[in-house]
């Protein structure tokens, strides 16, 4: 067991954990933040993407002890405390960017990290950036539309009423 | 996953000391290959020595016509910070894995693993790079020794990679559709004294230089210079994703594309 301290969604947490604890286990089992999903557990599907010091990482492929001292944001930290959704979350709702919703936390985290450094991406850039996030429901079109809308750009077709 | 101890030293000296003291200890760079391997129980280290807190392994600079990268630099940082000095190399780094993998994966980790489908080896070999470790410097031509095999000794850590910057260069990757690893990847580089071509993903022996293409491109650095030149299929990988003949064909096609794209 080793002690780890990090900031998760703005709050400092310190825990004693087994050395081989992955971030997915730390977030879900220790902190009970179950919004970070475990899809493939092999670094392929992207359902577990979180932000590590502002950059996207797959929580299934990083040990909690590697995050000692880091600033972590999970899907639970995206909306404002009063429940106001993050612009990317709102766009996913408005443009039907999800069906079953399993991949959505990872999609939102990947998309928001992209928009932080590429505020006005092209559609091709969005699709390329989603390379590490799999969705088996939507066929991606509405996810791409949602991200384009979240970036404040024109989107063909109207948002859902 | 097996149980192991985890340590995250802040100096190279401390990391080397742990690795020297314990034969079963293993260095952990970005972990984007090793962590999945641990889950599959393909590796069973007693101790993981994380290199991610070692500041001296983080550095990107271009001086005297050489791009010099700390072994702990991530694909993401290289794609961004090396773009001005060496656009061909930065563009290659920006195509590795996906955005999340690029945040963690490092050039030292990738070169130490020497996956036969990894992207960096094509560029480092094509440019005649030098792999600097805690104990010596190794020329790229001597470093890559076959699939997952390198000149590295037990407990040796890549501290820096020095890559001569060519006049023009480009990398074209023909991605395997599921994994997005290179089914074949070709890096072409034109230097004042000739052209060099590195091919990854294709050979049973790992990355290699396509010397016939180098000779042709040294005469004339144009796609047409490669007309009529084909890569022998013998010794190339045949698997569910493509036969040896297919890989040979793809290599010749994307080599032309790389020459056309080089800038």
């Amino acid at each position: 067991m080793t002690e780890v301290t990090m900031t998760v969604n703005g709050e400092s947490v310190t825990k004693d954990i087994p050395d081989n604890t992955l971030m997915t286990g730390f977030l879900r089992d220790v902190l009970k933040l179950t919004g970070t999903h475990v899809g493939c557990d092999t670094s392929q599907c992207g359902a577990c993407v979180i932000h590590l010091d502002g950059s996207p990482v797959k929580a299934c492929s990083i040990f909690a002890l590697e995050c000692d001292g880091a600033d972590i944001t999970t899907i639970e930290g995206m909306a404002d405390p009063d429940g106001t959704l993050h612009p990317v979350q709102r766009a996913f709702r408005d443009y039907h960017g999800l069906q079953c919703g399993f991949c959505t936390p990872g999609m939102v985290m990947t998309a928001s990290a992209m928009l932080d450094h590429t505020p006005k991406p092209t559609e091709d850039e969005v699709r390329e950036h989603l390379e590490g996030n799999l969705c088996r429901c939507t066929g991606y079109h509405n996810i791409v539309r949602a991200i384009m809308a979240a970036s404040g750009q024109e989107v063909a077709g109207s948002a859902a009423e | 996953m097996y149980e192991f101890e985890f340590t995250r030293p802040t100096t190279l000296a401390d990391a080397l000391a742990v690795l020297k003291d314990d034969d079963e200890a293993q260095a952990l760079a970005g972990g984007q290959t090793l962590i999945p391997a641990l889950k599959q129980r393909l590796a069973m280290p007693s101790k993981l020595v994380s290199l991610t807190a070692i500041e001296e392994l983080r550095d990107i600079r271009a001086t005297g016509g050489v791009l010099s990268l700390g072994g702990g630099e991530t694909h993401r940082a290289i794609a961004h910070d090396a773009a001005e000095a060496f656009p061909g190399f930065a563009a290659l780094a920006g195509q590795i894995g996906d955005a999340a993998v690029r945040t963690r994966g490092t050039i030292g980790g990738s070169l130490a693993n020497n996956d036969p489908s990894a992207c960096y080896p094509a560029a480092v070999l094509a440019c005649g790079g030098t792999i600097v470790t805690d104990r010596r410097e190794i020329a790229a031509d001597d470093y890559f020794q076959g699939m997952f095999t390198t000149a590295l000794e037990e407990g040796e850590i890549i501290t820096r990679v020095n890559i001569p910057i060519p006049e023009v260069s480009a990398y074209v990757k023909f991605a395997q559709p599921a994994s997005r690893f290179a089914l074949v990847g070709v890096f072409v580089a034109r230097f004042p004294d000739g052209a060099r071509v590195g091919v990854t993903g294709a050979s049973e022996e790992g990355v290699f230089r396509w010397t016939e293409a180098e000779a042709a491109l040294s005469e004339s650095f144009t796609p047409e210079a490669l007309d009529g030149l084909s890569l022998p299929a013998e010794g190339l990988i045949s698997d569910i994703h493509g036969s040896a003949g297919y890989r040979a064909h793809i290599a010749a096609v994307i080599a032309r594309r790389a020459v056309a794209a080089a800038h």
Side-chain angles (χ1 to χ4, degrees):
Chain A
M1 302 287 275
T2 303
E3 189 179 275
V4 66
T5 299
M6 67 184 88
T7 303
V8 179
N9 299 331
E11 285 182 34
S12 179
V13 293
T14 299
K15 299 283 180 186
D16 247 348
I17 53 169
D19 284 14
N20 64 357
T21 305
L22 292 163
M23 268 307 273
T24 39
F26 183 71
L27 293 169
R28 293 177 55 84
D29 301 334
V30 179
L31 301 185
K32 308 299 179 193
L33 293 171
T34 54
T36 298
H37 289 172
V38 182
C40 67
D41 199 25
T42 56
S43 190
Q44 298 177 66
C45 79
C48 67
V49 171
I50 59 173
H51 295 175
L52 166 73
D53 296 327
S55 296
V57 296
K58 291 179 173 174
C60 77
S61 296
I62 182 168
F63 292 112
L65 292 178
E66 292 182 274
C67 298
D68 192 49
D71 185 17
I72 300 292
T73 306
T74 70
I75 190 69
E76 288 90 346
M78 295 302 279
D80 288 342
D82 69 0
T84 305
L85 295 180
H86 183 278
V88 173
Q89 291 175 307
R90 203 161 58 235
F92 268 65
R93 184 187 63 190
D94 291 347
Y95 286 84
H96 283 172
L98 63 150
Q99 288 181 24
C100 86
F102 191 85
C103 74
T104 312
M107 288 285 180
V108 169
M109 300 311 284
T110 296
S112 60
M114 172 183 58
L115 295 180
D116 284 344
H117 62 81
T118 310
K120 300 284 180 197
T122 64
E123 187 178 320
D124 280 350
E125 285 175 325
V126 171
R127 289 182 182 277
E128 192 181 309
H129 207 83
L130 294 179
E131 191 170 357
N133 290 75
L134 301 182
C135 172
R136 301 290 77 163
C137 303
T138 64
Y140 301 98
H141 290 307
N142 282 357
I143 292 174
V144 174
R145 292 174 73 222
I147 296 168
M148 293 300 282
S151 73
Q153 300 187 86
E154 194 87 8
V155 176
S158 57
E161 290 300 320
Chain B
M1 205 173 328
Y2 291 108
E3 286 187 12
F4 51 80
E5 284 178 53
F6 182 96
T7 177
R8 195 164 172 243
T10 54
T11 68
L12 185 63
D14 286 350
L16 290 165
V18 178
L19 290 169
K20 196 174 176 190
D21 279 355
D22 183 347
D23 285 349
E24 303 296 316
Q26 188 167 357
L28 173 70
Q32 301 305 285
T33 298
L34 182 52
I35 293 175
L38 290 169
K39 290 182 189 178
Q40 293 178 48
R41 302 196 165 206
L42 295 172
M44 192 172 69
S46 59
K47 192 178 283 178
L48 282 182
V49 185
S50 170
L51 307 180
T52 53
I54 302 175
E55 272 303 314
E56 57 200 292
L57 295 178
R58 302 300 294 266
D59 182 39
I60 298 179
R61 69 178 106 152
T63 46
V66 174
L67 177 66
S68 186
L69 304 167
E73 277 301 345
T74 63
H75 314 328
R76 178 190 180 86
I78 293 167
H80 187 266
D81 295 346
E84 199 173 318
F86 192 166
F89 196 85
L92 175 150
Q95 292 176 49
I96 297 171
D98 56 52
V101 167
R102 290 194 289 274
T103 302
R104 294 298 294 170
T106 68
I107 185 165
S110 173
L111 292 176
N113 189 46
N114 193 19
D115 188 299
S117 299
C119 297
Y120 284 131
V124 173
L125 185 63
C127 295
T130 303
I131 287 84
V132 184
T133 75
D134 57 273
R135 59 200 76 168
R136 58 188 169 143
E137 298 192 359
I138 310 168
D141 280 318
D142 302 323
Y143 176 82
F144 300 105
Q145 299 187 349
M147 257 189 207
F148 299 107
T149 309
T150 70
L152 291 179
E153 297 165 352
E154 283 299 314
E156 189 170 10
I157 292 177
I158 297 174
T159 54
R160 184 163 284 284
V161 184
N162 294 327
I163 309 141
I165 302 172
E167 294 171 329
V168 296
S169 67
Y171 177 65
V172 173
K173 171 163 80 166
F174 191 91
Q176 199 262 86
S179 73
R180 313 306 290 179
F181 266 94
L183 188 72
V184 184
V186 176
F187 193 93
V188 298
R190 189 188 78 202
F191 288 93
D193 59 349
R196 305 241 308 192
V197 180
V199 182
T200 189
S203 170
E204 299 276 5
E205 300 299 318
V207 68
F208 66 96
R209 285 170 60 191
W210 185 9
T211 49
E212 292 81 3
E214 290 182 355
L217 292 171
S218 293
E219 291 290 318
S220 164
F221 196 80
T222 59
E224 295 73 35
L226 297 176
D227 284 350
L229 208 60
S230 59
L231 188 66
E234 196 179 327
L236 298 194
I237 299 169
S238 262
D239 60 19
I240 191 172
H241 308 297
S243 66
Y246 181 70
R247 278 183 164 85
H249 179 74
I250 293 292
V253 170
I254 63 175
R256 284 174 179 76
R257 290 183 187 169
V259 174
H263 64 281

